[in-house]
Amino acid sequence: MKPLLVGKVKEPGNVSEIEEDMRSLRKAAEDMGLFKVNPWFYAAHFFSIIACEVIGYLIIANYGTSWTAFLAASFFLLISQGQAGWTQHDYGHLSVFNSRKLNHLMHEVVIGGIKAASSHWWNFRHFQHHVKPNVYVKDPDITLPYVFLLGDKMPSWWGEKKKGFMPYQFQHHYFFLFGPPALLPVYFHIENLYFLFKRKEWWDLFWMLTFFTRWFHLYGPYLGGWGTLGLYFFVRFLESHWFVWVTQMNHIPMDIDKDQQRDWFSQQLAAACNVEPGYFNDWFTGHLNYQIEHHLFPTMPRHNYHKVAPLVKSMCKKHQIPYLSKPLLTAFGDIVRSLKKSGNIWHEAYYDM
């Protein structure tokens, strides 16, 4: 349970002003009805996911297996898989239904039956990330020291101790090889299967098998076994680029350190930044461009993030805490710039005589 330690319970009279303000902010959001779901938002979103998958299949079924048809089908399957990734995130955070059981069931259906991944594996990783974002050891999303060194602190520590076997000063280059192309097609498959068999999560395995049964039943007659597998990994390869850039733009450029035992509000603001809102950005990122609001209120339906954002900005202004919001492409570029900076810190510390 140590990785899940948020903090220690304080006596009522020992709560700081910022903690009191956070409680008031939460109460204000509840009073405004911002934790209430618009069911039509999620119904339309789910329908669009299914529609894109159906269109992808119909292209192959009606236009054959030419490269044009293959790429067109892959595009619609990519949209379906990418948006299913964002919507499973909503169910995993229990932000869609009032019933925990319904949220968990739909999470298993979407992440397992539509995306071929484990619900329990996702919960295990993601909840640790939310409790202590950008905290070394406690956040699995930033704990990849044998491939990438992140932030300003860890590269310095590793360099001073002469640790590391990768040429980290070039990590902003090999990120394009080991990051976006490989995370979903390679690393996540290995980690999923390891988790499933180690924990004996046979129910999750059942849902994953329903995905592959459907996939091979639909595409096998047109593409054959290897072609069907190739289509799957090609779509997953494309989706991996989408996933990595969106999920890392909010955290990698931010403060990464050991646990400083900050209060909830301060920790989330230190570890997350936003990307400017807009119809495309909201859709493309699954509203994770409102990363600050999502981390402060992880069970809030994402269609309400824009409503609570002004309250969050006001609290940040009161306590003089930066509220960062960037253009989308700037946020993408900051990932690479941050990796370059971290790699240079390691290099200088390692070779400092």
Side-chain angles (χ1 to χ4, degrees):
M1 297 298 290
K2 188 176 180 181
L4 302 181
L5 175 65
V6 178
K8 298 181 180 179
V9 177
K10 294 183 178 180
E11 297 294 330
N14 294 330
V15 177
S16 66
E17 181 183 7
I18 194 169
E19 291 169 311
E20 288 285 4
D21 286 348
M22 179 58 202
R23 293 177 183 179
S24 298
L25 178 58
R26 168 82 187 197
K27 181 65 166 56
E30 291 173 350
D31 292 343
M32 293 169 63
L34 300 185
F35 288 89
K36 294 180 180 179
V37 176
N38 176 1
W40 294 109
F41 173 88
Y42 287 105
H45 191 65
F46 189 80
F47 175 79
S48 71
I49 291 167
I50 301 302
C52 283
E53 182 163 328
V54 170
I55 292 171
Y57 165 73
L58 291 176
I59 290 173
I60 294 292
N62 289 282
Y63 295 99
T65 58
S66 67
W67 277 109
T68 303
F70 184 88
L71 292 176
S74 297
F75 172 78
F76 283 99
L77 293 171
L78 166 65
I79 300 299
S80 177
Q81 286 295 304
Q83 291 299 323
W86 304 143
T87 204
Q88 68 80 21
H89 179 259
D90 298 320
Y91 293 114
H93 276 292
L94 312 179
S95 61
V96 181
F97 297 107
N98 293 326
S99 166
R100 293 177 64 89
K101 287 184 178 179
L102 276 177
N103 277 306
H104 284 307
L105 175 60
M106 281 302 297
H107 190 228
E108 290 168 344
V109 169
V110 176
I111 196 173
I114 296 180
K115 292 197 59 60
S118 164
S119 171
H120 289 89
W121 162 80
W122 183 89
N123 286 332
F124 178 78
R125 280 188 62 97
H126 200 64
F127 291 171
Q128 291 182 72
H129 162 68
H130 266 270
V131 171
K132 291 291 184 179
N134 281 16
V135 173
Y136 284 127
V137 181
K138 296 185 178 182
D139 181 359
D141 287 2
I142 53 95
T143 308
L144 291 168
Y146 292 101
V147 183
F148 300 105
L149 292 176
L150 306 177
D152 296 342
K153 311 290 177 48
M154 193 172 188
S156 180
W157 299 331
W158 275 51
E160 291 170 357
K161 295 178 181 179
K162 311 301 181 187
K163 293 178 66 175
F165 61 89
M166 294 291 287
Y168 299 106
Q169 69 273 28
F170 302 117
Q171 65 178 1
H172 58 295
H173 294 304
Y174 66 71
F175 168 76
F176 292 93
L177 177 64
F178 296 124
L183 186 66
L184 265 61
V186 180
Y187 181 73
F188 272 9
H189 279 85
I190 295 171
E191 191 175 285
N192 257 272
L193 291 173
Y194 176 78
F195 182 91
L196 282 172
F197 287 101
K198 181 180 180 181
R199 300 293 185 96
K200 299 180 180 180
E201 297 287 355
W202 308 130
W203 184 240
D204 285 6
L205 182 61
F206 163 78
W207 281 110
M208 292 172 67
L209 289 175
T210 65
F211 169 89
F212 285 108
T213 299
R214 183 183 78 254
W215 191 271
F216 277 88
H217 176 74
L218 291 175
Y219 299 107
Y222 305 102
L223 298 173
W226 287 110
T228 301
L229 195 63
L231 174 66
Y232 170 76
F233 276 105
F234 181 63
V235 172
R236 200 63 80 210
F237 166 80
L238 296 175
E239 182 197 359
S240 189
H241 288 79
W242 186 353
F243 175 84
V244 170
W245 287 104
V246 169
T247 58
Q248 300 310 305
M249 68 183 183
N250 304 109
H251 293 298
I252 283 184
M254 302 302 290
D255 181 62
I256 300 176
D257 201 349
K258 294 178 180 178
D259 195 351
Q260 301 299 314
Q261 294 295 323
R262 297 184 179 103
D263 62 87
W264 179 259
F265 187 87
S266 300
Q267 179 59 46
Q268 307 309 317
L269 266 294
C273 69
N274 280 7
V275 165
E276 294 173 351
Y279 289 116
F280 176 79
N281 284 1
D282 294 355
W283 173 84
F284 185 73
T285 67
H287 287 85
L288 293 182
N289 53 327
Y290 289 96
Q291 192 73 199
I292 293 171
E293 288 71 26
H294 171 61
H295 266 259
L296 289 174
F297 308 103
T299 59
M300 180 181 289
R302 58 173 152 129
H303 54 70
N304 287 333
Y305 290 158
H306 72 282
K307 297 178 182 178
V308 77
L311 302 180
V312 176
K313 291 178 183 178
S314 178
M315 184 168 165
C316 286
K317 184 177 181 180
K318 176 181 177 180
H319 293 280
Q320 299 182 333
I321 296 176
Y323 180 100
L324 298 180
S325 184
K326 311 172 182 177
L328 182 64
L329 295 182
T330 299
F332 288 168
D334 282 347
I335 297 174
V336 180
R337 285 185 282 270
S338 176
L339 288 170
K340 182 178 181 179
K341 179 184 177 184
S342 300
N344 287 336
I345 290 173
W346 172 85
H347 186 263
E348 291 174 6
Y350 191 98
Y351 291 101
D352 183 13
M353 303 302 292

